[in-house]
Coordinates of all heavy atoms in Angstrom, one line a residue:
R7 N 7.3 20.1 -9.1 CA 6.1 20.2 -8.2 C 4.8 19.7 -8.8 O 4.0 19.0 -8.2 CB 6.0 21.6 -7.7 CG 6.9 22.0 -6.6 CD 6.6 23.4 -6.1 NE 7.7 23.9 -5.4 CZ 8.7 24.7 -6.0 NH1 8.6 25.0 -7.2 NH2 9.7 25.1 -5.3
E11 N 2.6 16.7 -7.6 CA 1.2 16.9 -7.2 C 0.2 16.0 -7.9 O -0.7 15.4 -7.3 CB 0.8 18.4 -7.5 CG 1.3 19.4 -6.5 CD 1.2 20.8 -6.9 OE1 0.7 21.1 -8.0 OE2 1.6 21.7 -6.1
P142 N 4.8 16.5 3.0 CA 5.0 17.9 3.4 C 4.7 18.8 2.2 O 4.6 18.3 1.1 CB 6.5 17.9 3.7 CG 7.1 16.8 3.0 CD 6.1 15.7 2.9
P143 N 4.5 20.1 2.5 CA 4.2 21.0 1.4 C 5.3 21.0 0.3 O 6.4 20.9 0.7 CB 4.1 22.3 2.1 CG 3.8 22.0 3.5 CD 4.5 20.7 3.8
L144 N 4.9 21.0 -0.9 CA 5.8 21.0 -2.0 C 6.4 22.3 -2.3 O 7.6 22.5 -2.7 CB 5.2 20.4 -3.3 CG 4.7 19.0 -3.2 CD1 4.0 18.6 -4.5 CD2 5.8 18.0 -2.9
A145 N 5.6 23.3 -2.0 CA 6.1 24.7 -2.3 C 6.7 25.3 -1.0 O 6.3 24.9 0.1 CB 4.9 25.6 -2.7
T146 N 7.7 26.1 -1.1 CA 8.3 26.7 0.0 C 7.3 27.8 0.6 O 6.9 28.7 -0.2 CB 9.6 27.4 -0.3 OG1 10.4 26.4 -0.9 CG2 10.3 28.0 0.9
T147 N 6.9 27.6 1.8 CA 5.9 28.6 2.4 C 6.5 29.0 3.7 O 7.1 28.3 4.4 CB 4.6 27.9 2.6 OG1 4.7 26.8 3.5 CG2 3.9 27.5 1.4
A148 N 6.3 30.3 3.9 CA 6.8 30.9 5.2 C 5.7 30.6 6.3 O 4.5 30.7 6.0 CB 7.0 32.4 5.1
I149 N 6.1 30.3 7.5 CA 5.2 30.1 8.5 C 4.8 31.4 9.1 O 5.7 32.2 9.5 CB 5.7 29.1 9.6 CG1 6.0 27.8 9.0 CG2 4.8 29.1 10.8 CD1 6.7 26.8 9.9
K150 N 3.5 31.7 9.1 CA 3.1 33.1 9.5 C 2.7 33.1 11.0 O 2.2 32.1 11.5 CB 1.9 33.5 8.7 CG 2.2 33.6 7.2 CD 0.9 33.9 6.4 CE 1.3 33.9 4.9 NZ 0.1 34.0 4.1

Side-chain angles (χ1 to χ4, degrees):
R7 280 189 200 89
E11 287 167 356
L144 298 177
T146 306
T147 57
I149 298 174
K150 298 176 184 171

